[in-house]
Amino acid sequence: MKQHLIGKSVLLVEDDPKIRNLVKVYLLKEGYEVIEASDGSEAKEKIKRYDPCILLLDLMLPKISGEEVCRWVREDFQSMMPIIMLTAKVSEKDRIQGLKLGADDYVVKPFSPAELMVRIEVILRRTASRCSKLSFGGLTIKPIKGEVWMDSEQLELTHFEFKLLHMFMQNPNQVLSREQILTFIYENNEKAVSERTIDVHIKHLREKIKEKTPKDYIQTVRGMGYKFVAL
């Protein structure tokens, strides 16, 4: 899994299950968090719920067209999330219309999934500041806004708990000692709290997460420290 892509969420909107599953396989292989929708109405609900880093949007969708979803994202939802349109519409007029609606890229079917992955990576690299968040299995942290969400429910964390969770999510699946945690949290190695105080804060953080989900994200590694498991 590519570490620099971990936690990046992609909403894949495609009514053809074969295409959707194929693209999903590639996305997961590249380390993305994948959210799926099969029609335009579901796409709008998933956008409001998850605010993904990038939207892969088929145009010919049931209920609400991809063009209308794109217009809604830009005008009503007022989001600048990157949008890549996936479509069988090949005319120059269709491409121009898609770009005018606010799409960042326009990929014609049939397309190469490998090339699509490159296009996604390029766009996310260019818009990195827009997607200033990390997501794992429904747990999302938005550092700039100072928010943590478990699916559609917001967690109320203390300043220290927030810093701890941010540190863990920036270093998924890595065992961190208490000493390392203190170094991450405090600049210039300033130790404002003891190592045992870290245990108390992590205990409280775990309890707050457990109130929203049974998933055990933060695990104790006996004799070594703690590990955030990217579920």
Side-chain angles (χ1 to χ4, degrees), residues 13-16 38-40 57-67 86-89 109:
V13 187
E14 170 60 64
D15 64 324
D16 186 326
S38 58
D39 61 60
L57 182 63
D58 183 25
L59 294 187
M60 301 174 69
L61 293 170
K63 297 184 179 179
I64 301 174
S65 71
E67 289 94 341
L86 309 177
T87 178
K89 297 181 178 182
K109 298 177 182 179

Side-chain angles (χ1 to χ4, degrees), residues 160-196:
F160 198 85
E161 291 164 355
F162 185 89
K163 290 177 72 175
L164 276 174
L165 183 60
H166 190 203
M167 175 212 63
F168 277 125
M169 294 181 73
Q170 287 178 306
N171 299 274
N173 302 317
Q174 298 181 45
V175 178
L176 301 175
S177 68
R178 293 177 180 85
E179 180 69 23
Q180 286 176 310
I181 292 171
L182 285 172
T183 301
F184 273 118
I185 296 298
Y186 293 101
E187 296 179 0
N188 303 319
N189 293 322
E190 177 188 354
K191 305 300 191 298
V193 299
S194 69
E195 292 186 4
R196 289 302 169 186

Side-chain angles (χ1 to χ4, degrees), residues 140-154:
T140 300
I141 187 167
K142 300 179 180 180
I144 293 178
K145 292 185 176 181
E147 297 177 354
V148 176
W149 295 79
M150 186 66 227
D151 291 329
S152 58
E153 295 186 78
Q154 188 170 0

Side-chain angles (χ1 to χ4, degrees), residues 30-49:
E30 292 296 312
Y32 292 103
E33 175 94 2
V34 182
I35 307 159
E36 299 177 68
S38 58
D39 61 60
S41 178
E42 185 182 8
K44 290 173 66 174
E45 290 303 314
K46 294 289 178 71
I47 289 167
K48 288 187 287 186
R49 182 174 180 181

Side-chain angles (χ1 to χ4, degrees), residues 6 20 33 66 84 93:
I6 284 179
R20 192 169 67 247
E33 175 94 2
I84 298 180
K93 180 180 178 181

